[in-house]
Amino acid sequence: MAALHCIVKLGGSAVTHKDCFESLKVEALQRAAGIVHALHRRGQRCIIVHGAGSFGHFQAKEFNVSKGSMEYSVDADYLRRGLCLTRLSVTKLNHLVTEELVKHGIPAVGISPFGAWKAAGEEVVRADVAAVLEALEAGYVPVLHGDAVLDVKQHCCILSGDTIIEILSQELSPKHVVFLTDVDGIYDQPPDNPGGGSAWEECENQDHPPI
Ligand code: IP8
């Protein structure tokens, strides 16, 4: 397969107002779509993964979806309802993100982990990377997201966008993994890491986005 140029993570706090229920940062999402469009126009193959932000986290917390059913003796119907509401919310955001990318002329397709990815406690025991690869090879830009998934140990759990990126990176070896956050500047590690500094100077003289 042709090389994968990059995986772009749209952080939940970058594209949503985290404290405000299901609230999209419209302009930030448009800017992010512009960056992805610039990559796509240059023929660079990429995968988008977004977090949940204010879509999904409220419902997951209310119904304890991340803990599943082993640690808490909860009513199974209650937990299932929590999973359904969480998924309705994260897939709503996935639709909005994918829609914005398509509006920018990107052949983006939303791909949800539920049903195709599965966990066992801390471990991911099934990850359908082949479906992502197939979409890429057919010329699409896959758009995955943090999701609520089935878990063989505790019925269900939360699969974060970062875990998805870790697995996709191991399997597909992208040249770059770029995290778009709500912090200004370009960093080569999380900006709040001790010693984490801006890497902007290295990119300043380039005539296109540094990815
Ligand atoms: O924001 C969480 O994904 P993340 C997904 O990448 C949820 O941690 C809440 C269902």
Side-chain angles (χ1 to χ4, degrees):
M1 112 165 172
L4 175 63
H5 186 72
C6 71
I7 299 178
V8 179
K9 165 91 189 277
L10 307 183
S13 56
V15 293
T16 75
H17 298 283
K18 267 195 120 163
D19 299 327
C20 191
F21 184 73
E22 296 191 348
S23 168
L24 192 65
K25 285 185 182 169
V26 176
E27 278 179 28
L29 178 57
Q30 286 169 345
R31 277 206 308 278
I35 292 171
V36 178
H37 181 247
L39 289 172
H40 183 70
R41 216 183 32 214
R42 299 205 306 262
Q44 287 169 336
R45 288 155 46 108
C46 59
I47 296 173
I48 313 301
V49 179
H50 64 81
S54 56
F55 291 73
H57 276 295
F58 288 100
Q59 295 88 341
K61 190 166 174 219
E62 183 184 344
F63 290 85
N64 253 322
V65 176
S66 67
K67 303 281 182 211
S69 64
M70 294 302 279
E71 291 185 26
Y72 294 81
S73 56
V74 291
D75 176 336
D77 286 340
Y78 179 83
L79 187 57
R80 284 193 199 99
R81 179 166 172 77
L83 179 135
C84 294
L85 293 175
T86 303
R87 296 213 65 252
L88 277 177
S89 190
V90 289
T91 52
K92 197 184 289 179
L93 178 60
N94 184 253
H95 179 90
L96 292 169
V97 170
T98 307
E99 183 175 52
E100 192 57 44
L101 294 169
V102 172
K103 273 188 198 159
H104 276 73
I106 300 156
V109 286
I111 298 183
S112 281
F114 183 88
W117 295 54
K118 198 170 185 178
E122 299 290 289
E123 235 187 301
V124 173
V125 290
R126 191 173 72 215
D128 192 357
V129 177
V132 178
L133 199 53
E134 250 173 49
L136 261 180
E137 305 223 298
Y140 295 96
V141 174
V143 185
L144 287 90
H145 58 90
D147 204 354
V149 297
L150 293 177
D151 184 307
V152 293
K153 289 193 177 159
Q154 56 175 47
H155 179 72
C156 63
C157 70
I158 296 296
L159 175 69
S160 77
D162 287 350
T163 302
I164 294 171
I165 288 180
E166 222 177 287
I167 291 172
L168 291 178
S169 299
Q170 283 161 8
E171 302 267 331
L172 304 176
S173 307
K175 202 162 165 225
H176 303 284
V177 179
V178 180
F179 293 80
L180 299 185
T181 73
D182 57 349
V183 179
D184 282 341
I186 298 173
Y187 298 85
D188 52 13
Q189 53 179 300
D192 47 4
N193 270 9
S198 171
W200 175 246
E201 295 77 17
E202 288 167 34
C203 312
E204 227 170 7
N205 297 324
Q206 298 189 7
D207 58 359
H208 54 71
I211 47 172

